[in-house]
Each structure stands twice: as structure tokens, then as C-alpha cells.
Amino acid sequence: MHIAGKTYGSAQIVLLTVFLTLSPFASNAQETIRIGGTGSALGAMKSIAKTFEKSNPSIKIIFMPSIGSSGAVRAVAKGSLDIGLMAKPLINDELTLGLVPIEYAKSPFVPVIHNKMHINNVTNRDVESIYKGTLKTWKNGERVRLVLRPAADADTGLIRKMTPEMNSLVDAALQREGMLLAKTDQDNLSIIEKTPGAFGFSTLTQIVTEKRKIRILSLNGVRPDLKTLASGSYPFSKTFSLITVKQPPRPVKIFCDFIRSGDGRTILVKTGNIPLLAEAAK
């Protein structure tokens, strides 16, 4: 075979064929979008991606394991991810990276307990006592096992703001020995699922999409769901953002538009979220 005045043997022809097949310039190549970040947003985004790929077969979406909000920011800045999923605002040096965050949904941030516990409600005072360490057993005599998140985690930040006292109580709980500490959103629910008496916080969307066997509690007598969150009667939620470079590739733009579409918004609601982006123009 002769190409541009050069002669290629059979081995080189095979390599060239493979290159042309896999090359992003090949006409039938499948474009990819790499997504990762906060674990509590992954389930809903996977549901959206599944529907998206059916109508966009030339685009493949690849999900990375949970790496947290800060991990998502670093990965997008380095080019390791095309879309990051965040549950907190950009802070400090993150603001200088030239990335674009777009809030797209929020989900109720809910108190949860081991599934076999016959408890339906906790109050702000109960939560304070649990973090203070003075509420040591539940009404059935089961030991209270508080599941903490790392100090810099987005969930910890939300818990700190629940009452004026919670900020110092969270610090004190993080300093106590023998506490259960979950590093990721998935670890958090796994610990609560398998630990009798375990108590913590999560998001409705993660519980729904991962089909977790835990009990969601009312807080101060208000059941956390999309209706109570929308009405303001349930005040606690986690807000999710997409983060991309300023000029994202075409497939990323198409997928972000799909999230804003009627189909995308419907999936967000079904997976325990309130959409925040206006519906994309048709």
C-alpha cells in the first residue's frame, strides 16, 4: 500500500486502520462526555443520561465514581472531566480557575435513620442533642450512632446552618473519639443502612435513585418532599450545580440543553429534585 510516497507493510496497515477507526476524526466515531462529582447528584444525572443517549446515539456519557464537589472542580480544571457536579459554591482559589457553575436543581436535605427504627420525626432540639452527645439512646433503647461527614464536606456545611448552635456542636462532634465518619455520600448511606441506631443526613434524590433501605424522618413535624420544599414549609435543601469550562465542547452544550428540556426536567422531578434552570427554548 502506498500513501504519500511511503510504502506500508501489512502490520502498519492494521495499525493505521485501527487508528482511523478510533480517531475522533472518524466520521462514525462516538463522542464522549465525562461526568463526575458529588455523589448525591450522580443517580439523577445517570437517569437523565440514559434517556439522552437514546435520542443522541453518537454521544456516550461516562460517569466517574463519587469524587465530591471539590474533586469535580479540580478535575474539570485539569480536563479530566467535561462536566462536574457540585453541591457547594466555588470558593477561594476555585474562583480563579475560569470555570462556569450553573445551578440546575435542588433536593430536600433530610434526616435519616436505620430502616428498622420505629421513629418518624426529630426536632431541631433532638438534632442538637445528638450532636452534643447528650441524647445517647432512642426510645426503644437502641444506642444513637451519629454518622458524621468530613469538616469541609458540603453536607457538614448545611448541618452547621440548621440552628445557631449547630456550628459549634458539629465541631465538638468531629473532635469526639469513636465517631462514625463517612467520606462520601455513598459511604454515608451504606453506614446508616447497616448500623442499628444510626442517624445522619442525606438528600431525597440520592435515596430515591439508589433505592436505599433507610427511613426518612420528618423534621419538626414537617415531612420533607418536593411539595413542602417548594412551599417553603420544609426549609432545608441541597443545591446542585453543573460546572464546565467557559467554552465547553459541542456535546457538552447539547447535554446541558437536554437537562433544561421538558424531558430532562421531568426526570429531575421523578428523581427527587426541583429543577432550577428555565426550560430550554424549543
Side-chain angles (χ1 to χ4, degrees), residues 2-3 12 34 67 79 102 113 123 147 174 214 229 256 263 268 280:
H2 295 275
I3 297 180
Q12 286 85 355
R34 299 160 299 171
I67 57 173
I102 305 171
I113 198 169
T123 65
V147 181
L174 286 167
I214 59 173
L229 182 62
C256 289
D263 286 343
L268 283 172

Side-chain angles (χ1 to χ4, degrees), residues 9 19 44 51 67 72 100 104 123 129 132-133 152 170-171 242 268 282:
F19 172 78
T51 300
I67 57 173
V100 179
Y104 71 92
T123 65
S129 297
K132 191 182 296 183
V170 168
D171 286 335
L242 306 169
L268 283 172
K282 295 181 180 179

Side-chain angles (χ1 to χ4, degrees), residues 7 23 28-29 47 60 64 83 99 101 104 111 115 146 174 189 197 214 234 239 255 267 275:
T7 302
S23 170
N28 62 346
S47 295
K60 175 67 176 177
M64 306 301 175
I83 297 176
L99 304 177
Y104 71 92
N115 194 44
L146 173 61
L174 286 167
L189 291 187
I214 59 173
Y234 188 82
T239 299
F255 182 66
I267 295 169

Side-chain angles (χ1 to χ4, degrees), residues 44-193:
M45 199 56 62
K46 287 177 180 178
S47 295
I48 292 174
K50 184 177 180 180
T51 300
F52 172 81
E53 288 178 333
K54 291 178 181 178
S55 56
N56 295 272
S58 64
I59 301 175
K60 175 67 176 177
I61 299 180
I62 300 172
F63 284 90
M64 306 301 175
S66 174
I67 57 173
S69 297
S70 297
V73 173
R74 292 191 297 269
V76 173
K78 292 179 180 179
S80 302
L81 287 179
D82 300 300
I83 297 176
L85 304 177
M86 293 200 315
K88 68 177 186 63
L90 294 174
I91 58 173
N92 303 328
D93 292 345
E94 295 174 346
L95 294 167
T96 68
L97 297 174
L99 304 177
V100 179
I102 305 171
E103 293 183 351
Y104 71 92
K106 64 179 180 179
S107 183
F109 188 63
V110 301
V112 292
I113 198 169
H114 186 272
N115 194 44
K116 292 184 179 180
M117 298 295 296
H118 299 292
I119 297 171
N120 297 313
N121 179 73
V122 290
T123 65
N124 283 351
R125 182 169 294 183
D126 292 332
V127 175
E128 290 175 352
S129 297
I130 290 170
Y131 273 79
K132 191 182 296 183
T134 56
L135 180 56
K136 298 181 181 296
T137 59
W138 299 108
K139 290 181 179 180
N140 66 351
E142 190 74 61
R143 178 186 174 190
V144 174
R145 299 299 307 274
L146 173 61
V147 181
L148 298 169
R149 304 301 307 277
D153 191 87
D155 284 13
T156 302
L158 291 172
I159 295 167
R160 289 181 185 276
K161 298 176 182 178
M162 289 185 66
T163 73
E165 292 76 19
M166 282 303 296
N167 187 49
S168 60
L169 293 177
V170 168
D171 286 335
L174 286 167
Q175 294 299 317
R176 287 203 297 272
E177 294 184 1
M179 301 297 289
L180 298 173
L181 183 68
K183 292 185 177 180
T184 70
D185 293 333
Q186 280 67 36
D187 288 343
N188 179 51
L189 291 187
S190 294
I191 292 172
I192 295 171
E193 277 184 325

Side-chain angles (χ1 to χ4, degrees), residues 105 120 151 186 216 219 231:
N120 297 313
Q186 280 67 36
I216 298 174
L219 183 63
S231 70

